[in-house]
Amino acid sequence: MIARMATNPLPQFPPGFLWGVSTSAHQIEGAADERDPSVWDAFTAEPGRIKDGSTAEVACDHYHRYPEDVALLAGLGVDAYRFSVSWPRVNSPGGLDFYDRLVDELCAADVRPVPTLFHWDLPLELDWMSRDTAARFADHAAVVAERLGDRVKKWITLNEPAEHTLLGHALGAHAPGRRLLFDALPVAHHQLLAHGLAVRALRAAGADDIGIANSHGPTWAASRRTEDVEAADFYDVLLNRLFADPLLLGRYPEGIGELLPGDVESDLKVIAEPLDWYGVNYYQPTKVGAPEGAEIEFSGLTLPADLPFSVRELEGYPVTDFGWPVVPEALTELLVGLRERYGDRLPPVVITENGCSYEGIDDQERIAFLDGHLRALHRALEQGVDVRGYFVWSLMDNFEWAEGYARRFGLVHVDYDTLERTPKASYAWLRDALRTQARR
Ligand code: BGC
Ligand code: BGC
C-alpha cells in the first residue's frame, strides 16, 4: 500500500519522544465467553442502545489474533503500544495469562507495553456510585502489577473518567446507561479516588512511571456575551478541570467539593499523589453558549434542555465521518493552555489518544488529520510545553461503543466478516514518517 499523499517531512521531535498507537480491551478483544461480564455487555444487550445493533462478543478477535496484531505494530515501527487490561477478564480464571502472553509478544517485538488499568468495562457487579469500588480498583491494580510489573514499566490508571462519568452516568449514552445528570458527581470522585489508590498500589509494587489518560479539548464561547462566556466556563470546568484540578492541584474547582459526601479533603491528598506524566486524549474543541431551552443533538447524544449550557455546532471546519470538526491548531492551544493553567504542577505530557473516523482503506483524510495534528503538537513543543509522546487512536478499526462498528478509527482496516486486517494508506504514511525521525 502506497501513501500517495505527498506531505512534507514532519518536523523533528526530540530524541526519546515516544511514538505509539492505542486500543482498548472491550473494543478489540472479543472472546467475551472467556471472561466475566462487564457493564458494557449488559448495556449492549438492552435493545436500542448500540446504533447498529452489534455487540463486542467477537469484535476484532484480538484475544486470539494478538500475534498478528503485534506483528502489525512491529511493522509500523512504533516504540509503544497502549492497550487496556480488562478488569472482568483479570477476575476470570486464566484471564491474566492472556496479558502475560501479550506482553511477552510485545517485548519480543521490541514494542513497549503501556497498559491502561480501566477503560470503561467495569465488572458487572461493581458500581462507581459506591465508594468501595475505588478500593477494589486498587486491588485490581496490585494484581496486574504483581504479574506484569517485571516487563511493564509505563502504566496508565484510568481512561477518560470524564467521558465515563458524563456519557455513562450523567447522560446514559454509554454503559451503565444511567441518566443521573449532576447527581453523577460521586462517580467522578470515586474514579479519582480509585486513581490515587491505584497510584499508591503501583508504586508499592515498584512502578515509577505512572500516568492517567484524561480527555481534554478547548472550550470556545459562542460569543463574548456574558451568558455565553459563563456557560462556556461552566462546561470547561466539567470537561477540563473537574478531573485535572484535583489531580494536579489537590482541590476541586470552586463549588464542587461541597457537593460531595465524606471527608473530601483527606481523599484529595490521595487523589493528588504526584504523577510521573499526564496523558491527554484530544479529539476536538467544543463551542458552548448559554442554554437555549431545548434538547440538542450533539456527537450522537441527546442533551437535556435544562443544562446550564448548550453545545453549538462549530462551523467552518472540515468534519470527519463522525461529524467531528478537524481543528489541529486547537491541540496547540489546549497544551499551551494547560501549561498556563497548571504551571509547574503539570508533569510532562503524553498525548495518549488522537485520531479520527473515516471510511475507506485509501484514507487520505486520516493522513491529513495526523499530519496536521503532529505539526500542531510540534508547535506546542516549540512554545515550551514538555510533551514526551504521541499515541494514535487507534491501531485498528474496532467497536466504537454506542456507535457499534459504524465508525472506523483504525490505521488498519478490519473486515468484520472475515476478521482480515488490511493496513490503510495512513499506516504506510505513519511508518514512513517515523523513519524520517531521528528517534533515539
Ligand atoms: C469526545 C471524545 C469521546 C466522544 C464519545 C467526543 O465529543 O471528544 O473524546 O470519545 O465524544 O462519543
Ligand atoms: C475513547 C476511545 C474511543 C475514542 C473515539 C475516546 O474517548 O477513549 O475508547 O474509541 O475516544 O470516540
Side-chain angles (χ1 to χ4, degrees), residues 47 74 77 115 184 254 298:
E254 230 178 85
F298 171 66

Side-chain angles (χ1 to χ4, degrees), residues 4-87:
R4 275 189 288 106
M5 193 166 137
T7 49
N8 291 323
L10 290 173
Q12 286 294 315
F13 284 75
F17 190 84
L18 195 67
W19 296 95
V21 292
S22 297
T23 63
S24 93
H26 190 76
Q27 294 178 272
I28 65 167
E29 282 180 6
D33 53 353
E34 292 179 57
R35 57 160 172 76
D36 289 354
S38 81
V39 294
W40 266 97
D41 299 308
F43 182 78
T44 300
E46 292 172 24
R49 290 297 204 177
I50 309 298
K51 283 193 188 134
D52 61 3
S54 62
T55 78
E57 273 163 41
V58 177
C60 307
D61 195 31
H62 170 74
Y63 182 84
H64 297 110
R65 291 164 202 255
Y66 72 91
E68 189 183 345
D69 296 335
V70 173
L72 284 164
L73 290 164
L76 190 55
V78 285
D79 304 302
Y81 174 49
R82 173 181 173 227
F83 58 100
S84 82
V85 171
S86 154
W87 190 352

Side-chain angles (χ1 to χ4, degrees), residues 330-391:
L331 176 57
T332 318
E333 178 189 324
L334 168 69
L335 294 171
V336 170
L338 282 174
R339 209 261 321 272
E340 277 167 8
R341 184 174 277 165
Y342 296 108
D344 292 344
R345 308 296 292 269
L346 182 70
V349 168
V350 174
I351 304 301
T352 33
E353 282 182 32
N354 177 231
C356 50
S357 150
Y358 288 109
E359 290 300 306
I361 288 177
D362 187 18
D363 55 343
Q364 301 301 316
E365 304 97 326
R366 181 171 288 102
I367 294 174
F369 180 101
L370 296 175
D371 183 81
H373 283 78
L374 283 167
R375 287 173 201 278
L377 181 61
H378 197 268
R379 281 192 287 277
L381 277 160
E382 285 167 351
Q383 292 177 41
V385 186
D386 185 3
V387 187
R388 304 279 178 94
Y390 176 86
F391 287 70

Side-chain angles (χ1 to χ4, degrees), residues 54 69 124 150 216 232 240 253 259 265 271 282 302 329 348 355 425-426 431 436:
S54 62
D69 296 335
L124 187 55
D150 56 336
H216 283 284
N240 291 311
L259 304 173
E265 280 310 309
I271 292 168
Y282 169 70
T302 307
E329 60 273 23
S426 57
R431 179 197 62 205
T436 68

Side-chain angles (χ1 to χ4, degrees), residues 156-197:
I156 298 174
T157 54
L158 307 177
N159 178 71
E160 297 192 353
E163 305 286 336
H164 190 54
T165 305
L166 182 78
L167 300 176
H169 299 78
L171 298 174
H174 278 187
R178 295 221 183 97
R179 213 172 158 86
L180 299 171
L181 299 176
F182 291 103
D183 292 338
L185 204 55
V187 171
H189 185 66
H190 296 151
Q191 285 181 90
L192 281 165
L193 184 61
H195 158 83
L197 293 170

Side-chain angles (χ1 to χ4, degrees), residues 258-316:
E258 294 81 331
L259 304 173
L260 289 161
D263 186 355
V264 175
E265 280 310 309
S266 81
D267 288 351
L268 281 165
K269 292 202 177 68
V270 181
I271 292 168
E273 216 32 82
L275 287 169
D276 299 296
W277 54 278
Y278 187 76
V280 170
N281 292 1
Y282 169 70
Y283 289 92
Q284 55 181 312
T286 310
K287 185 163 131 185
V288 176
E292 291 178 310
E295 286 195 342
I296 21 176
E297 294 297 319
F298 171 66
S299 235
L301 302 171
T302 307
L303 300 177
D306 55 352
L307 293 176
F309 55 81
S310 67
V311 177
R312 310 284 173 82
E313 193 161 333
L314 197 56
E315 279 153 5

Side-chain angles (χ1 to χ4, degrees), residues 146-159:
E146 161 93 8
R147 184 70 177 270
L148 306 180
D150 56 336
R151 288 150 292 157
V152 167
K153 298 301 159 207
K154 205 175 193 71
W155 297 90
I156 298 174
T157 54
L158 307 177
N159 178 71

